[in-house]
Amino acid sequence: SLVAKPVFVHARKRIRWRLVTSWPKSLDVLFGAPQKIAELVHQMTDGLFDIRVYAAGEIVPGLKVLDAVQEGSVPIGHTALYYYTGKHQAFAFACGVPFGLTYRAQNVWLDKSKGGRLLEKLLADFNVVGFPAGNTGAQMGGWFKKPIRSVDDLKGLRFRIPGLGGKVMARLGVSVQLLAGGDIYPALERGAIDGTEWIGPYDDEKLGFYKVAKYYHYPGWWEPSATLHLIVNRKAYESLPKEYQEILKTAAKVANQQMMEEYDAKNPPALKRLLQKGVKLVKFSDEIMTRAQKEAFSLYEELAAKDALYRDIFEDWKNFRGEIAKWFGTAELAINQFLYGR
Amino acid sequence: SLVAKPVFVHARKRIRWRLVTSWPKSLDVLFGAPQKIAELVHQMTDGLFDIRVYAAGEIVPGLKVLDAVQEGSVPIGHTALYYYTGKHQAFAFACGVPFGLTYRAQNVWLDKSKGGRLLEKLLADFNVVGFPAGNTGAQMGGWFKKPIRSVDDLKGLRFRIPGLGGKVMARLGVSVQLLAGGDIYPALERGAIDGTEWIGPYDDEKLGFYKVAKYYHYPGWWEPSATLHLIVNRKAYESLPKEYQEILKTAAKVANQQMMEEYDAKNPPALKRLLQKGVKLVKFSDEIMTRAQKEAFSLYEELAAKDALYRDIFEDWKNFRGEIAKWFGTAELAINQFLYGR
């Protein structure tokens, strides 16, 4: 036949973006999430949409990622939204709060709830679009020089813990310390603090806390999971072809699962190595957990009384948390207890 | 300037594929996973790569998806690989086995282990490339007319359960029944069987088992999680532009998380409705679980003794399962017990 075959030719945009993060490269699983996103976007656009990933401090400080993306000085960033509770307290729910949602519950809530939509509106007020793009899972409860058995044991203890976890610890009588990552080990070594929390076995091992504080507590009830977000300047996002928007969203969702996988692959051997080095595991008692949960919820109620948006998000979150607990308390909990509880 | 700006024009292939599945449309969460994949691929290729999804039986029978994709009569399918243990027993590990891996552990093992690579080689022997693309999470233990408290209570009971779960139940003295989805309710109603398992609250509710067998047991220890796979004919996959291959892989990975989210969103209200209708929850006793686990592992050992590839996959899986259990038994289990265990 002489009829020409149709040729589908699309002129596609070449785009180069710089992506800023809140992570040093040494936190390779956290930093690996935006790298994964960049890699996927590159592969899915035949290299036309090119994203280069920068560590904290390379372009903007780690805790200024939202500011930079909001202003548009960079189009895109990867961060933990609870760093920005100074801008709005409700950002805490986007990431994780004490006695909050576990990984799977958090994914559902952010994706499908009224609270998730309200958080998107809050982000829109800051001129950004956000997508969950990573999770640490349940964190560990941190390193102490002595085993902590009761709320009494916590009183007066100098413990390094930021954020809402720190606020709850303060209500339990802890002398809460705020120290950046690199300052923790020296402070612990010379006895300026009695303990510290960080993330989990894989990241904690690298900072060497086990050498000077061998009682490793669990769970980190202040972070039953912690979602990291990919945030994009709204104008920059809207300037993308629809196809690239979908590719970016999809890559973020893959990164959300991929980071969980990375931690679940790297934490088990790290925990094993730590135990071989003489680390002792200590489970926080029900007394501590119950008291801490009570203080956490009284804190949320206080914040809800001051701000209508916070209250709306908190009420939706609290209701969701109660409903999903009944389901996660049956098949999933029972098989986990049987397989992992002995 | 008179210098022309570069225009990036790529001739891209228009592709139309038919995707066959093992699911009736009524199992909307299962059927929704390949639909989600088709939607994402469409969006990420500006409609150029078009996949149309067919229910079980529309083109090929639900249990012949691997056969059809292997032969290339259709290029792509969505199925559960444990339907094909008749072709090779090791396919069971790709999906889920009694006392096997929970959702997060299963994701890591398939993605990062030697066993995962061996399963990929096994799929290659069947001329297909496979990607995890959906999960049910921990299933429920099914519906009985009386509460089952002990192994003795199981003896002689006519219980509908397929696959390895059925083999283990048979070893516990159950009279194992095999019935297709639509035949189960009538059999249960007229007393031809004493009980049945299915999936979880959302899917089970639709089949109405609660009307004739109100004791709802948990956990479904025969499926601590169940991975569904996207499988692609190798030649068809290799004929795709690299960019479309990445888009397809990425869409599968999103579907893997998305299906878990759908179930985690739909199961809690379904369980609540069932309880309001008078359903009674019964937890399988440690005696039953321990005996069943012992039988399951003796079954795996028997199969391993007969086939070298099965043995290699099983040994890797068993080792992984043991290692990850220590980690999932600390922070994750402790916070889950506290949040969901009361």
Side-chain angles (χ1 to χ4, degrees):
Chain A
S1 148
L2 289 175
V3 180
K5 275 193 182 167
V7 176
F8 298 94
V9 176
H10 284 230
R12 291 198 293 165
K13 269 176 121 168
R14 167 151 290 179
I15 291 169
R16 280 170 182 275
W17 276 6
R18 296 184 306 170
L19 185 155
V20 292
T21 73
S22 301
W23 328 118
K25 287 180 185 165
S26 57
L27 288 172
D28 60 312
V29 178
L30 298 177
F31 190 72
Q35 284 183 307
K36 179 78 187 173
I37 290 168
E39 181 194 319
L40 287 170
V41 167
H42 185 93
Q43 289 168 342
M44 290 192 283
T45 61
D46 202 15
L48 289 174
F49 188 178
D50 187 70
I51 296 174
R52 183 147 173 213
V53 181
Y54 291 86
E58 286 191 313
I59 298 180
V60 299
L63 302 182
K64 295 285 182 188
V65 168
L66 176 56
D67 307 73
V69 174
Q70 180 184 356
E71 293 155 11
S73 64
V74 289
I76 188 166
H78 192 264
T79 189
L81 287 173
Y82 68 179
Y83 293 152
Y84 311 99
T85 46
K87 297 178 192 292
H88 200 289
Q89 290 289 349
F91 275 132
F93 293 106
C95 178
V97 300
F99 300 97
L101 305 175
T102 50
Y103 173 64
R104 279 166 51 178
Q106 173 79 349
N107 286 340
V108 177
W109 185 68
L110 289 174
D111 199 26
K112 295 179 183 296
S113 71
K114 184 187 155 202
R117 299 297 73 71
L118 290 173
L119 283 170
E120 284 173 0
K121 274 168 90 173
L122 177 61
L123 282 171
D125 290 343
F126 287 85
N127 207 25
V128 304
V129 189
F131 308 102
N135 201 305
T136 63
Q139 299 191 9
M140 289 292 281
W143 304 86
F144 291 85
K145 296 196 173 185
K146 289 185 292 192
I148 306 301
R149 307 283 181 200
S150 67
V151 174
D152 269 354
D153 287 348
L154 283 170
K155 292 212 162 60
L157 222 63
R158 295 159 305 166
F159 185 60
R160 179 263 170 204
I161 177 171
L164 284 173
K167 292 213 171 89
V168 174
M169 280 292 196
R171 288 175 181 229
L172 298 179
V174 168
S175 166
V176 169
Q177 311 290 314
L178 297 175
L179 292 170
D183 300 332
I184 306 172
Y185 183 87
L188 199 58
E189 192 182 24
R190 72 171 184 271
I193 58 175
D194 303 307
T196 186
E197 63 87 52
W198 189 238
I199 302 174
Y202 178 69
D203 292 319
D204 293 13
E205 183 188 28
K206 287 188 276 186
L207 294 188
F209 304 133
Y210 63 91
K211 292 175 201 157
V212 286
K214 72 171 180 181
Y215 294 95
Y216 198 18
H217 290 61
Y218 69 95
W221 42 259
W222 44 92
E223 279 168 287
S225 75
T227 297
L228 311 180
H229 273 76
L230 186 74
I231 54 173
V232 190
N233 178 275
R234 174 162 287 278
K235 221 183 217 170
Y237 186 72
E238 283 165 2
S239 77
L240 291 176
K242 184 89 179 74
E243 194 182 333
Y244 288 8
Q245 290 180 355
E246 293 300 328
I247 283 173
L248 198 57
K249 268 165 64 174
T250 305
K253 192 137 192 169
V254 168
N256 197 58
Q257 181 177 313
Q258 190 74 31
M259 186 193 294
M260 195 67 267
E261 267 184 41
E262 294 295 327
Y263 272 123
D264 285 340
K266 287 176 171 155
N267 277 325
L271 179 62
K272 192 178 180 181
R273 286 191 300 271
L274 289 168
L275 294 174
Q276 282 163 352
K277 286 169 184 160
V279 164
K280 305 289 175 208
L281 287 172
V282 181
K283 186 174 167 180
F284 279 127
S285 65
D286 260 10
E287 182 224 358
I288 292 174
M289 302 272 282
T290 305
R291 274 288 309 279
Q293 181 171 246
K294 194 165 161 270
E295 295 298 342
F297 274 75
S298 94
L299 180 60
Y300 307 150
E301 297 288 356
E302 286 170 25
L303 291 166
K306 288 183 206 157
D307 184 278
L309 176 62
Y310 188 100
R311 191 186 58 233
D312 288 349
I313 292 174
F314 170 60
E315 291 296 337
D316 179 74
W317 176 90
K318 192 170 66 172
N319 181 52
F320 174 90
R321 180 180 178 273
E323 292 296 322
I324 208 163
K326 290 169 204 154
W327 165 238
F328 281 145
T330 58
E332 205 64 57
L333 182 61
I335 194 70
N336 274 272
Q337 280 178 321
F338 186 80
L339 293 175
Y340 306 138
R342 282 104 50 93
Chain B
S1 146
L2 291 172
V3 180
K5 277 194 182 166
V7 176
F8 298 93
V9 175
H10 284 231
R12 291 197 294 166
K13 273 176 120 165
R14 167 150 291 178
I15 291 169
R16 280 171 181 277
W17 276 6
R18 297 185 305 171
L19 185 155
V20 293
T21 73
S22 301
W23 328 118
K25 286 179 185 166
S26 57
L27 287 172
D28 60 313
V29 178
L30 298 177
F31 190 72
Q35 283 183 308
K36 179 77 187 172
I37 290 168
E39 181 194 320
L40 287 171
V41 167
H42 185 92
Q43 288 168 340
M44 290 193 283
T45 61
D46 202 15
L48 290 174
F49 188 177
D50 188 70
I51 296 173
R52 181 145 175 215
V53 181
Y54 292 86
E58 286 191 313
I59 298 179
V60 298
L63 302 182
K64 295 284 181 190
V65 169
L66 176 56
D67 307 72
V69 175
Q70 179 184 356
E71 292 155 11
S73 66
V74 289
I76 189 166
H78 192 262
T79 189
L81 288 173
Y82 69 179
Y83 293 151
Y84 310 99
T85 47
K87 297 178 193 291
H88 199 290
Q89 291 288 348
F91 275 131
F93 292 106
C95 178
V97 300
F99 300 98
L101 306 174
T102 49
Y103 174 63
R104 280 166 51 179
Q106 174 79 349
N107 285 341
V108 177
W109 185 69
L110 289 175
D111 199 25
K112 294 181 183 297
S113 72
K114 184 188 153 199
R117 299 298 72 72
L118 289 172
L119 283 169
E120 283 174 0
K121 274 167 91 174
L122 177 61
L123 282 171
D125 290 344
F126 286 84
N127 207 24
V128 306
V129 190
F131 308 102
N135 202 306
T136 63
Q139 299 191 9
M140 288 293 280
W143 303 87
F144 292 84
K145 297 197 172 185
K146 289 184 292 193
I148 307 301
R149 307 283 183 199
S150 66
V151 175
D152 268 354
D153 287 348
L154 282 169
K155 292 210 161 62
L157 222 62
R158 295 159 304 166
F159 186 61
R160 178 264 170 202
I161 177 171
L164 285 172
K167 292 212 170 91
V168 174
M169 280 291 196
R171 288 175 182 228
L172 298 180
V174 169
S175 166
V176 170
Q177 311 290 313
L178 297 175
L179 292 170
D183 300 332
I184 305 173
Y185 183 86
L188 198 59
E189 192 182 26
R190 73 172 183 271
I193 58 174
D194 303 305
T196 185
E197 62 89 51
W198 189 238
I199 301 174
Y202 178 70
D203 292 318
D204 292 13
E205 182 187 29
K206 285 187 278 185
L207 294 189
F209 304 134
Y210 64 90
K211 293 175 201 156
V212 285
K214 72 172 179 179
Y215 295 96
Y216 199 17
H217 290 61
Y218 70 94
W221 42 259
W222 44 91
E223 279 168 287
S225 75
T227 297
L228 311 179
H229 273 75
L230 186 75
I231 55 174
V232 190
N233 178 275
R234 175 161 287 278
K235 223 183 215 168
Y237 187 71
E238 283 165 3
S239 78
L240 291 176
K242 183 89 179 72
E243 194 181 335
Y244 287 8
Q245 290 179 356
E246 293 300 329
I247 283 173
L248 198 57
K249 268 164 66 174
T250 304
K253 191 137 191 168
V254 168
N256 196 58
Q257 180 177 313
Q258 191 73 31
M259 186 194 293
M260 195 66 268
E261 267 183 41
E262 294 296 327
Y263 272 123
D264 285 340
K266 288 176 170 155
N267 277 324
L271 179 62
K272 192 176 179 180
R273 287 191 299 270
L274 289 168
L275 294 174
Q276 283 163 351
K277 286 168 184 161
V279 165
K280 304 289 175 207
L281 287 173
V282 181
K283 186 174 167 179
F284 279 127
S285 66
D286 260 10
E287 183 224 356
I288 292 175
M289 301 273 280
T290 305
R291 273 288 309 280
Q293 180 172 246
K294 194 165 160 269
E295 295 298 343
F297 274 75
S298 94
L299 180 60
Y300 307 149
E301 298 287 357
E302 285 170 24
L303 292 166
K306 288 183 205 154
D307 184 279
L309 176 62
Y310 187 99
R311 192 187 56 234
D312 287 349
I313 292 173
F314 170 60
E315 291 294 336
D316 180 73
W317 176 91
K318 193 171 65 172
N319 181 53
F320 174 90
R321 180 180 178 275
E323 293 296 323
I324 209 162
K326 291 169 202 155
W327 165 237
F328 281 145
T330 58
E332 205 64 57
L333 182 61
I335 194 72
N336 274 272
Q337 280 178 320
F338 185 80
L339 293 174
Y340 307 137
R342 281 104 49 91

